[in-house]
Amino acid sequence: MTFVSTAVAFCFWMHRVSRNLGPLGVEERRFTPRWAVIWWFVPLMQLFRPYQVVREVWSGSREESSGPAWTL
């Protein structure tokens, strides 16, 4: 039950952060908020598309902030 609840909450969160890129001023987005969630469930594509979605959200939200960049 906890796993399912966490997965649903994560999907809602991913949709919301992807949707918030528009108000942040990111004009060109590769993934819509709907597809930001759907890619997690498409076989084979789930191996690399979610990473690309999260990378787009990360870089889009970083453009507006003035703090130091976090890198691995």
Side-chain angles (χ1 to χ4, degrees), residues 27-57:
E27 297 297 327
E28 295 183 25
R29 289 186 289 174
R30 187 173 175 194
F31 307 103
T32 64
R34 178 178 290 168
W35 278 100
V37 174
I38 292 173
W39 285 126
W40 290 92
F41 302 101
V42 177
L44 295 179
M45 298 299 275
Q46 68 186 5
L47 298 175
F48 60 92
R49 282 285 189 220
Y51 170 76
Q52 292 172 342
V53 170
V54 171
R55 187 177 61 189
E56 179 181 72
V57 168

